[in-house]
Amino acid sequence: GNSVTQMEGPVTLSEEAFLTINCTYTATGYPSLFWYVQYPGEGLQLLLKATKADDKGSNKGFEATYRKETTSFHLEKGSVQVSDSAVYFCALFKAAGNKLTFGGGTRVLVKP
Amino acid sequence: EAGVTQFPSHSVIEKGQTVTLRCDPISGHDNLYWYRRVMGKEIKFLLHFVKESKQDESGMPNNRFLAERTGGTYSTLKVQPAELEDSGVYFCASSPTGGRPYNEQFFGPGTRLTVL
């Protein structure tokens, strides 16, 4: 079946540091890939997405590139802010299943 | 436009009691999903409604869980009787129909359920 593996947290960074959260997936065919974010006290929000190989999703300074050859969708941000402190979830979607498959989530804490 | 809302935000109950969670999707969204995150692990799919019909309930853990979507509007998820392992955060999401390859699922804030 489909699965998503992402690095465990928590990840603690200083402001303006570089952030990478690794995500790899297992699925047949060409799933769509996503990063969701959950800020403290809020629901899940779609951060970015990529629907085909080599696509790059980007939003709020975050980027992730759909790598079919390595089945990966790593999330990066060049300079994090305190407001980026949240839990980040990598996920995939296949139309045949019509449901999202999530990774375990990575908590990120950015200190001033 | 109002987003997906869930009620209650928190629920603390004793083992063996019954709890009902409610989700109000975005108006006009035919698709409604329930997911849950247990013990800080991955978020897992529970079931999917299209309007009032259950399209996929393969993720429902056992028959103590009952989901309904009356009239294709709001949905309820009832746990009866609740067990300790049911503790977690229950998320609801909704999406429209027709987009390809993916219709964005909009999530609610979740209901945190604690079973003591």
Side-chain angles (χ1 to χ4, degrees), chain A:
Chain A
N2 302 328
S3 67
V4 175
T5 302
Q6 61 182 104
M7 59 189 289
E8 291 189 20
V11 175
T12 303
L13 303 165
S14 296
E15 223 171 4
E16 298 184 1
F18 185 87
L19 170 68
T20 299
I21 304 176
N22 290 338
C23 170
T24 56
Y25 68 90
T26 300
T28 56
Y30 295 87
S32 296
L33 301 174
F34 309 88
W35 278 99
Y36 278 83
V37 59
Q38 185 179 22
Y39 298 104
E42 299 183 15
L44 288 167
Q45 301 174 26
L46 179 63
L47 180 60
L48 54 83
K49 66 182 179 185
T51 57
K52 60 184 187 294
D54 299 325
D55 268 3
K56 177 185 284 188
S58 60
N59 186 26
K60 299 183 180 180
F62 289 89
E63 292 183 340
T65 301
Y66 188 146
R67 300 288 189 200
K68 179 68 175 174
E69 63 276 14
T70 54
T71 61
S72 65
F73 193 54
H74 304 322
L75 182 68
E76 296 182 336
K77 185 173 185 182
S79 177
V80 294
Q81 305 300 312
V82 172
S83 57
D84 294 324
S85 298
V87 181
Y88 294 81
F89 294 91
C90 186
L92 70 81
F93 178 89
K94 289 199 70 179
N98 203 16
K99 59 194 173 192
L100 289 162
T101 301
F102 287 90
T106 302
R107 181 174 298 278
V108 173
L109 177 61
V110 181
K111 295 185 175 181

Side-chain angles (χ1 to χ4, degrees), chain A residues 34 36 98-100 103-104, chain B residues 33 35 37 42 48 58 102 104:
Chain A
F34 309 88
Y36 278 83
N98 203 16
K99 59 194 173 192
L100 289 162
Chain B
Y33 305 81
Y35 296 85
R37 189 182 191 210
E42 68 270 26
H48 169 213
S58 62
Y102 170 74
E104 180 178 348

Side-chain angles (χ1 to χ4, degrees), chain B residues 62-79:
Chain B
N62 52 61
N63 59 10
R64 295 186 294 103
F65 289 75
L66 175 63
E68 296 179 322
R69 190 180 182 194
T70 307
T73 55
Y74 70 91
S75 174
T76 58
L77 179 64
K78 181 161 70 174
V79 185

